[in-house]
Amino acid sequence: MKRVKITVLKTTLDTELAAEYGVEGLTTCPMLQAGQVFYADYAKPEGLCDEAWKAIYQYVFALAHGAEKELFYYGDWIRKPGVAICSCNDGLRPVIFKLEATDEISQNKT
């Protein structure tokens, strides 16, 4: 099993939806910042939001277990093998992640 690099590409705020549904003063995600990097295999890395992990773990798992050689979803989504661009499930302020397969062997025991 390989380690997967998780990079926070950007934090966003849908201002239209936030104005209609969000609490006063809602901003982008307070937990994550663009440029943060985490490494994972099958376990959530320390410091990564639980909800974000729930949204991306299946892609991390696939990349950790050999999907780095192929394109996801029949090649009609991401053009680079071993890469997935995903977001957390916060509809008002989603965080966008880049997941990359690495050649590093995981130190975790399964």
Side-chain angles (χ1 to χ4, degrees), residues 9-59:
L9 291 180
K10 65 162 93 174
T11 59
T12 64
L13 176 68
D14 186 313
T15 55
E16 181 182 327
L17 292 176
E20 185 172 348
Y21 301 104
V23 298
E24 186 70 30
L26 187 69
T27 63
T28 60
C29 175
M31 296 183 66
L32 298 168
Q33 307 292 321
Q36 276 183 286
V37 174
F38 302 91
Y39 286 88
D41 40 41
Y42 65 87
K44 181 181 81 74
E46 189 173 326
L48 184 65
C49 168
D50 289 343
E51 292 302 313
W53 180 247
K54 288 178 195 177
I56 69 172
Y57 80 90
Q58 67 270 23
Y59 303 105

Side-chain angles (χ1 to χ4, degrees), residues 31-94:
M31 296 183 66
L32 298 168
Q33 307 292 321
Q36 276 183 286
V37 174
F38 302 91
Y39 286 88
D41 40 41
Y42 65 87
K44 181 181 81 74
E46 189 173 326
L48 184 65
C49 168
D50 289 343
E51 292 302 313
W53 180 247
K54 288 178 195 177
I56 69 172
Y57 80 90
Q58 67 270 23
Y59 303 105
V60 172
F61 185 86
L63 289 169
H65 287 85
E68 79 276 2
K69 297 175 184 71
E70 300 169 10
L71 299 174
F72 277 106
Y73 291 102
Y74 313 104
D76 66 353
W77 177 38
I78 302 293
R79 65 182 148 113
K80 293 184 175 186
V83 172
I85 305 298
C86 304
S87 66
C88 75
N89 55 13
D90 186 328
L92 300 181
R93 54 185 183 185

